[in-house]
Structure formats: structure tokens, C-alpha cells
Amino acid sequence: MSYHSYQIRSREQYDLAYKKSIEDPEGFWADVASNFQWQRRWEKTLEWNFEEPKVRWFSGGQLNITENCLDRHLAERGDQPAIVWEPNNPEEDYRVLSYKELHFKVCQFANVLKNNGLKKGDRVCIYMPMIPELAIAVLACARIGVIHSVVFGGFSAQSIADRIQDAQCCLVITADGAHRGNKEIPLKAVIDDALVQCPSVRKVIVLTRTRVPVSMIKGRDSWWEDEIRKVETQGNPACTAEVMDAEDMLFILYTSGSTGKPKGVVHTCGGYMVFTNYSFVNVFQYQPGDVYFCTADIGWITGHSYIVYGPLSAGATTLMFEGIPTWPDAGRFWEIVDKFKVNILYTAPTAIRSLMGFGLDFVKNKDLSSLRVLGTVGEPINEEAWHWYDENIGKGRCPIVDTWWQTETGGILISNLAGITPAKPAHATLPLPGVQPILVDEKGEELKGNSISGNLCIKFPWPSIIRTTYGDHERCRQAYFATYPGLYFTGDGALRDEEGNYRITGRVDDVLNVSGHRIGTAEVENAINMHTGVVESAVVGYPHEIKGQGIYAYVVYNGGSHEMSLVSKDVVQTVSRIIGPIAKPDKIQFVSGLPKTRSGKIMRRILRKIAEGELENLGDTSTLLDPAVVEEIKKGKL
Ligand code: WT7
């Protein structure tokens, strides 16, 4: 007997569940949702149209996601580890928080937020290292109905400011600094720079982590530890969970698109909870007592859904790691697996490829026999990396789940179920129950049958689909629902093999996937163009052995005669300043002009081909304003 009644345990059960989910989606999801703790049952399971778009799951239902992640586990597994935390430095002590302790700390910090005047619907920006207090801060917001916007620690002050302004956050939760490998990131100093542009923020709460000196602004900044002491003296450690409607906002998470500034993807309480839990339990085949380790950062959707909400709502033990895979050496992941007897490991292809490069010495002396399930996420996994992972980490006996999804989908949509449905290297394989993918051609015509490739769309809502982009619903419609009317468009290309397995081939829009991080080419171009001396630029992706995609920038410069290698460094610095180190171009080629059509449109197709090293067969160049430019660019290729 498995402990989640809706856990699929055989291929037959998958087929049945899938069939039911298509024939009667409302009945299917109502059954799943009945397993959660609702303060009031919903009235209407689903209302939707993809034209506005409008999607409402479980409307009329009331709940608090933290009661499902914490309170409801207390009776049966209050003393079980909820979070196991491994610090950056292996010499430092690890920490274990039981469900009871996590519940206590979440309530305590929720009271801190209340003391600071926060109430349901307010927005809070969280910019923290990967330490348990980050999960506590996230859950404390959810406890009182405050909408969290977590910003990854690798983003710059400008990126944070943009996100804070867009969401009009009134409070920021951060730490003095963060440890990442042998580096220290001055989080609080970055926040100070960001807040110069953010009048909406009236309060900053700062956790002590690295003890780097920080400046605390009177009336605005206070220490996490002092705030906790204040609530301790108030005496009441409890914090009643705010009653939330199923469709009330849970969080905003910013992500890059093909145009303009990042969009604030909005997820709501009920559907997101049901789907992250359902997908977690089924894809990873979590069993009671398992130790589950997802190596992502909570600053990304993977961390939201599969470090915090999915696992905790399922009563799992979730392992959080503060550091990086290669410090103190490239055996760190395997050491953690050995140390905590990890059963399920979920990581990114880029990490696998990078660790592959360090050779097997770092794997050899580690006991990996506890592993039962492996997973990947974030980008297509190449067959070589898949086999390395399978043979050297899984020792040929652990199913690998290749999980395809997006910030906007909230949870995993296409993946094999570990040990239940078959894996196929480099294929995400089959849709989860409730997910109806289709492939379409350029005109939006559905491509039926197998052995076919096209643009990947989803034709029916699942419970954790994006609801809106914060403050701009029209942008949500434009970006996801306008390309192919009546469909959610993923932005990915895919092929469907002879057996109906999906293989995601990558983005078909101007979005790059660098080390599993999503970066818009337009964003990088805007940052490059901020550099004085830069006239214009065009950014494309190219295949990169470890990162999956690298960033190739063509830059038109007229800032006078300088040593161009220095200018190049300056341009990289500028991007790092404006967006963050994750968006730094790998290659910068200075050119005298960009290939443009007579109407002034940059022909990216040509630039992409050249960056990929394909200098012949550039396709039709007859519409170019100045074909000579292409010859020059080809000669100067890096
Ligand atoms: C994009 C979404 C989903 C959490 C991490 C990234 C690519 C994601 C896979 C996979 C091939 C994948 C897609 C997608 N992607 N998973 N298993 N196979 N590609 O979230 O930042 O929203 O990026 O990542 O291109 O559109 P994200």
C-alpha cells in the first residue's frame, strides 16, 4: 500500500489515470484535490478559456498551502526531518529541521512579518542564500497570504530593482552575505544599491550568515535575529494560517521572455499545490522515509516547486544544499549523497556535463548505493551525459526521469514516471495525467500522428498553469496564448517519436538556455547597449559543451580606438552589472554593422548560423541591405 492513494504504481495505472484525466479532467483533479486539507471545499473544479486567458481551478475553495505543507503532517510525522541542510563548507555542521521545528519557525517568522504590518496581498522580495531560513521566509509569507517574489542570488542590483518596482514590494528579506564555493556574495550591499530606486520598500530584514560588515539604515533595516527576539518576548508562538481562496496569488517569479524586461509569472494557491504535489509523488515515486535531494536554487521555479512546496506538501524529507557542485572538489554532490543516504537525486544536465569533465576519481570512493531514482531538468540532456549519469551515478539500476516543464507551467508536464513508465535517453517521454500536449506547424495546424516534429503547445489547462503576468494580463495573453489561438504555446520545439514519446529540442523563440538558466537575447542586448561606445548589438546562442548554450554577442562599437580586448571585458562587466553574472556573453565579436533587411530588421538566422560555426549555406541573403557585412562577420568569427 503506498501512502499517497493517487500514486501511480504500474504502467496500467498510468494508462488508466491518463485516460480518465482526458475524458473527465474535472473529476480526475477533484479526486486528487480531495486528498488535501481544505478549509472549505471548492464549488467549481474548473472554469477556463484560453482567449482572455482565464483559468480558475477549485474556485470557491479555501485553504492555506502551509497547513498542507506543515500542520497536517504534525500528528503523524512531526519528528521526521522536513529539511536537511548541507552548508557550503563541509566542515560546518549540517542542520536538520523536523516538521515540528519547521512549523514552529515558520509561524514565528510569520509573526515577525505581521509585527511589521504585513497583511494578505502585500508583496515581499526575498534575496537570500540557500539556507533553511530562505524556505522559512517563503513559507512564512504563504502562511499570512503575503505574495513572495524570490530573486536568485546571482542577479544584480538593477535586476532586483526592476523586479521590486514591478511588484511594488514593501519589504525585503535578505542576508548579510552568501557563501558560494570559495566566493562570498555581498547580498545586503547589492540590496542597498537596488533600493536606491525602490521607494515602495519601507523595511529590510537581514539574516546573519557570513558576518561580512554591512550598513544598516536607521528606521529601515533590522536584523532577523532581533526581530525573532521581539516576537519571543510577545509570548505567543502560534500563527493562524490566513484563509486563502484557491485562486488567490501565492507567488510571483520573474522569468525572461523574448522581448523586454522579465515577466512576473503568477501562480495561485490551490491548483499549484495540487499539481506540484501530484507530480512530485508520481514522477519521483517518493516513498515515506526517502531522502530527496534537488540541487536547484529556490530562486528558480525548480526550487519553489520541488524543494519547497511539492516535497513538503507530500510530507517528504527535502535536502537543501547551500554550495556548488565543484567545491571543495567535483565530488561534492556524491559526498552529500553518501553522507545523507540520498534516495532521489534531481539535478541539471549542465551540472552532469561539468562533473563528467572532472573524471571518475571523484565518484569512485563514494557510496552511492542509497540512490534509487535520478532526475534531470532545465534543458535537453544529450545522450552522452545521460549514459554517464546512468552508468556512473545510478550504476545502471536507477531510472532517470527527464522532466520537461517551465516557470509558467508550475510543475512537471512531460516526464517518465520513475520505474513505472519507460525512460528513453534524451526524451522527456510521456505527458503526466491531465496534460494534453500537441505539436503544431507554423500556421498553428495540429500535426497528428507519430514520428513528427513541430512547436509544442498544450491544449487544455492543468492545475498549475500560469494565471497572469503580474500587473499586465495582456502581456500574458500575448506571450503564451496569442501565437496559436486556443492553445498555450510553450516556446519550445519538440518531436514525437514512433511510440508517442516527446523529445524537446529547445526554444524556437529568442530565449537562450544557458546552464539551465533562461536568458532573453533582448535583455542581454539592452544591457550591452548601455555601454558608452556601443552603437548596437545582436545576441544569439551557440552550442556550448557544458552550458548547453553559450552567449555570442555581435557588437557595433564606435567608442574610439582602444585595445579591443579591454573593451570586450568592459562590455562583459556591463552585462554583469545590469543583469548579473549569469548573463555574461561568452564571446564578443566586434563588427562594423549587423546584417539587416531593407526594412531594418536584424537577420538573426544568419548570425545564429555563423555563431554555430556554419559558415556555408546561410540561406537566402538576397533581401539583405548590405551583403558585404556577412562576409566580414564570417571572417571575424570567434
Ligand atoms: C525551459 C524552461 C523547468 C524548470 C527549469 C527551467 C527548457 C526545461 C527541459 C527538459 C528539454 C527543458 C525548455 C523550457 N527545459 N526542462 N527536461 N528537456 N528542455 O525553467 O527557466 O522556466 O525554462 O527550459 O526550453 O521551455 P525555465
Side-chain angles (χ1 to χ4, degrees):
M1 227 314 257
S2 82
Y3 118 85
H4 293 100
S5 60
Y6 46 88
Q7 188 172 54
I8 294 166
R9 301 294 286 148
S10 68
R11 174 68 205 233
E12 294 65 44
Q13 284 179 15
Y14 165 77
D15 290 336
L16 276 174
Y18 192 78
K19 187 160 176 284
K20 158 118 189 172
S21 77
I22 304 305
E23 289 170 0
D24 177 18
E26 295 194 32
F28 177 83
W29 287 114
D31 283 350
V32 175
S34 305
N35 291 278
F36 294 79
Q37 189 174 315
W38 296 84
Q39 291 169 359
R40 193 175 82 193
R41 196 182 157 93
W42 61 95
E43 281 146 20
K44 192 105 194 52
T45 304
L46 172 64
E47 296 157 271
W48 72 288
N49 74 69
F50 277 174
E51 277 69 50
E52 294 175 59
K54 168 181 146 179
V55 179
R56 295 175 57 82
W57 281 95
F58 312 116
S59 78
Q62 292 180 331
L63 77 158
N64 186 290
I65 197 168
T66 70
E67 288 191 325
N68 286 273
C69 288
L70 302 170
D71 305 59
R72 72 166 170 152
H73 303 313
L74 294 182
E76 251 187 69
R77 56 182 78 80
D79 294 318
Q80 180 202 300
I83 294 179
V84 174
W85 173 75
E86 169 72 3
N88 178 62
N89 184 343
E91 313 273 280
E92 190 184 331
D93 290 340
Y94 65 89
R95 289 167 62 188
V96 178
L97 277 80
S98 68
Y99 271 96
K100 235 186 244 163
E101 289 162 328
L102 183 59
H103 175 262
F104 178 82
K105 285 180 184 294
V106 167
C107 289
Q108 198 178 40
F109 195 69
N111 283 328
V112 166
L113 296 177
K114 283 204 283 193
N115 270 347
N116 283 285
L118 288 192
K119 50 180 196 324
K120 180 174 171 178
D122 289 342
R123 278 84 52 216
V124 162
C125 172
I126 302 179
Y127 187 66
M128 290 179 82
M130 274 289 286
I131 50 180
E133 283 71 16
L134 166 52
I136 290 166
V138 162
L139 291 164
C141 289
R143 186 78 175 176
I144 60 169
V146 159
I147 298 160
H148 55 77
S149 164
V150 183
V151 177
F152 173 62
F155 280 113
S156 69
Q158 185 60 50
S159 294
I160 299 166
D162 291 344
R163 285 158 174 75
I164 289 177
Q165 284 169 348
D166 187 75
Q168 288 293 294
C169 296
C170 58
L171 187 144
V172 175
I173 307 169
T174 188
D176 48 2
H179 299 295
R180 272 179 72 78
N182 56 13
K183 289 205 191 87
E184 272 194 26
I185 302 158
L187 297 179
K188 174 60 164 59
V190 177
I191 289 291
D192 288 337
D193 286 347
L195 293 190
V196 174
Q197 306 177 51
C198 302
S200 62
V201 174
R202 50 178 172 75
K203 177 86 193 179
V204 181
I205 298 178
V206 188
L207 181 84
T208 309
R209 177 63 188 127
T210 62
R211 301 190 176 275
V212 65
V214 296
S215 45
M216 299 291 279
I217 306 293
K218 198 186 289 169
R220 188 194 73 179
D221 302 350
S222 67
W223 292 102
W224 175 296
E225 295 78 6
D226 291 340
E227 293 283 337
I228 293 287
R229 265 191 290 280
K230 235 182 276 167
V231 295
E232 274 169 356
T233 59
Q234 290 164 355
N236 180 12
C239 174
T240 316
E242 184 76 29
V243 178
M244 304 293 281
D245 284 328
E247 284 296 339
D248 279 340
M249 266 184 220
L250 175 61
F251 66 84
I252 307 169
L253 185 58
Y254 286 84
T255 192
S256 297
S258 44
T259 51
K261 288 199 170 157
K263 301 180 277 265
V265 172
V266 170
H267 285 290
T268 57
C269 297
Y272 178 81
M273 169 183 76
V274 169
F275 193 79
T276 53
N277 176 292
Y278 181 82
S279 51
F280 172 75
V281 162
N282 282 300
V283 169
F284 301 106
Q285 289 290 305
Y286 186 86
Q287 302 303 326
D290 279 352
V291 177
Y292 160 86
F293 175 21
C294 168
T295 69
D297 191 290
I298 292 178
W300 307 107
I301 191 69
T302 308
H304 283 60
S305 301
Y306 298 113
I307 295 178
V308 181
Y309 290 114
L312 294 178
S313 68
T317 295
T318 178
L319 196 153
M320 263 178 90
F321 173 42
E322 184 184 30
I324 57 171
T326 49
W327 192 81
D329 64 44
R332 193 65 194 280
F333 279 179
W334 325 129
E335 185 187 301
I336 295 173
V337 169
D338 189 340
K339 180 169 173 184
F340 297 103
K341 303 296 164 228
V342 170
N343 305 108
I344 305 171
L345 174 68
Y346 189 30
T347 193
T350 188
I352 298 168
R353 286 191 299 265
S354 132
L355 296 178
M356 256 168 82
F358 288 89
L360 288 174
D361 283 355
F362 295 100
V363 185
K364 267 200 318 241
N365 51 350
K366 312 290 184 331
D367 177 7
L368 305 182
S369 61
S370 57
L371 286 173
R372 206 184 68 242
V373 172
L374 302 176
T376 68
V377 60
E379 48 176 324
I381 182 163
N382 47 311
E383 294 209 16
E384 194 194 354
W386 194 96
H387 286 294
W388 187 89
Y389 198 32
D390 179 39
E391 284 156 31
N392 300 297
I393 306 306
K395 316 286 182 194
R397 48 167 197 79
C398 300
I400 298 177
V401 289
D402 178 347
T403 65
W404 174 84
W405 58 297
Q406 312 177 297
T407 304
E408 295 86 346
T409 71
I412 299 166
L413 294 197
I414 304 182
S415 173
N416 48 319
L417 311 183
I420 305 293
T421 59
K424 177 171 179 183
H427 288 68
T429 75
L430 300 174
L432 264 69
V435 176
Q436 303 190 36
I438 65 169
L439 298 178
V440 300
D441 65 14
E442 297 291 304
K443 290 190 230 91
E445 294 297 331
E446 179 169 1
L447 300 162
K448 297 219 165 109
N450 287 343
S451 305
I452 211 139
S453 70
N455 288 345
L456 179 63
C457 296
I458 319 281
K459 68 174 178 194
F460 195 87
W462 60 98
S464 61
I465 187 176
I466 180 176
R467 297 305 196 272
T468 189
T469 45
Y470 191 81
D472 190 351
H473 194 61
E474 172 57 14
R475 200 168 170 205
C476 174
R477 194 187 68 80
Q478 275 292 339
Y480 309 106
F481 299 92
T483 316
Y484 304 115
L487 299 173
Y488 168 82
F489 176 44
T490 64
D492 280 316
L495 50 88
R496 190 165 53 219
D497 75 4
E498 53 293 343
E499 287 157 332
N501 290 307
Y502 287 87
R503 174 188 189 137
I504 313 301
T505 46
R507 305 286 306 195
V508 295
D509 53 9
D510 290 319
V511 172
L512 306 182
N513 191 325
V514 180
S515 301
H517 300 149
R518 217 161 122 176
I519 296 165
T521 53
E523 262 178 276
V524 183
E525 287 162 8
N526 290 341
I528 292 174
N529 298 347
M530 305 271 264
H531 187 284
T532 56
V534 169
V535 181
E536 61 175 340
S537 62
V539 165
V540 297
Y542 71 95
H544 186 288
E545 226 186 296
I546 289 173
K547 300 179 179 185
Q549 271 189 312
I551 302 180
Y552 197 116
Y554 299 91
V555 177
V556 181
Y557 181 81
N558 80 346
S561 56
H562 295 285
E563 174 57 63
M564 288 319 276
S565 67
L566 293 181
V567 177
S568 187
K569 277 195 188 132
D570 278 355
V571 170
V572 170
Q573 254 310 307
T574 307
V575 175
S576 192
R577 276 275 165 72
I578 305 288
I579 304 177
I582 55 172
K584 282 185 190 172
D586 298 277
K587 293 182 180 182
I588 295 180
Q589 180 181 350
F590 292 101
V591 296
S592 66
L594 297 169
K596 288 186 183 169
T597 61
R598 271 172 258 269
S599 58
K601 203 171 165 279
I602 297 173
M603 289 188 77
R604 292 172 170 280
R605 177 175 52 83
I606 292 175
L607 294 175
R608 241 179 262 134
K609 284 213 165 164
I610 296 175
E612 285 165 9
E614 195 176 322
L615 302 185
E616 308 308 316
N617 308 321
L618 291 180
D620 183 13
T621 53
S622 62
T623 55
L624 278 178
L625 190 60
D626 177 11
V629 148
V630 176
E631 290 313 309
E632 178 213 308
I633 294 178
K634 273 160 70 173
K635 281 205 196 83
K637 192 212 169 266
L638 300 172

